Amino acid sequence: MSSHLKHLVLEMSVGMFAYVCFLGILAALFQDGLDGMGFSLGPVLLGLFLGFAADVLMLIHMAGVTERAADSQDEAYANKTTMVQSVIRRVVFIIALFVLGSRPQIDAVAMIIGALGLKAGAFLQPAVHGTFFRGKEQRPEEGITKERRKVYGNDENSDGSPGT
């Protein structure tokens, strides 16, 4: 996986963790309400954490599959690969949900709600990037210039900039 994609996965994981922490705090605050509905705090928190862990694994898998499909530069292969891997990912999550959710120490509903953190991580990624990684980014033009110079040589005019 490329370093840029690893960084993106890290940023999304921070957002997903913030989502799960927020839900965990809400569960702790409303513990009496959970107990009244028949849910204990421990299994709910464990289910949220396992949903987060599943999200991280699914995100890493999606990033790898996407990069492999893009590197192939074959539209039919990319479409087939992403669809098959998506189905495999869902089936594995459902199996894990049934196996882990059947244990009394883990709340399956909380695990599903925790797994929804993938969407929250995607929505929070720009905010996480701007907050924690502002100074560590390179401008897209710099990457394009480096790529053009690698492909076309180290000529100053190869990147379209005016000569000096």
Side-chain angles (χ1 to χ4, degrees):
M1 206 174 351
S2 71
S3 63
H4 176 63
L5 199 54
K6 287 179 185 176
H7 193 73
L8 184 64
V9 167
L10 173 67
E11 290 174 354
M12 286 183 65
S13 296
V14 169
M16 294 181 319
F17 186 71
Y19 167 79
V20 169
C21 285
F22 176 73
L23 291 178
I25 291 169
L26 284 179
L29 289 175
F30 296 108
Q31 183 176 359
D32 294 336
L34 286 174
D35 287 336
M37 294 184 337
F39 295 101
S40 298
L41 183 63
V44 168
L45 293 177
L46 189 57
L48 287 173
F49 175 75
L50 288 174
F52 166 72
D55 271 351
V56 171
L57 293 175
M58 288 189 285
L59 181 62
I60 292 169
H61 183 256
M62 281 188 277
V65 168
T66 302
E67 189 169 54
R68 191 176 49 204
D71 287 344
S72 75
Q73 296 183 354
D74 179 12
E75 185 179 349
Y77 170 79
N79 192 20
K80 180 180 174 184
T81 300
T82 54
M83 293 299 288
V84 168
Q85 293 297 321
S86 173
V87 169
I88 290 171
R89 203 169 38 248
R90 289 177 184 162
V91 168
V92 168
F93 178 73
I94 290 170
I95 290 170
L97 181 65
F98 277 114
V99 169
L100 295 173
S102 64
R103 307 204 184 289
Q105 300 89 359
I106 301 167
D107 186 45
V109 175
M111 191 171 165
I112 293 170
I113 292 171
L116 293 175
L118 196 57
K119 302 241 185 252
F123 287 128
L124 291 173
Q125 184 272 330
V128 169
H129 179 77
T131 304
F132 297 111
F133 303 103
R134 181 176 303 272
K136 299 183 187 215
E137 68 184 64
Q138 72 172 3
R139 293 190 332 236
E141 299 86 29
E142 291 175 358
I144 293 169
T145 302
K146 286 180 184 177
E147 181 66 26
R148 286 181 183 161
R149 288 194 175 151
K150 185 166 63 169
V151 172
Y152 298 114
N154 202 8
D155 183 12
E156 287 183 21
N157 294 327
S158 67
D159 61 356
S161 62
T164 53

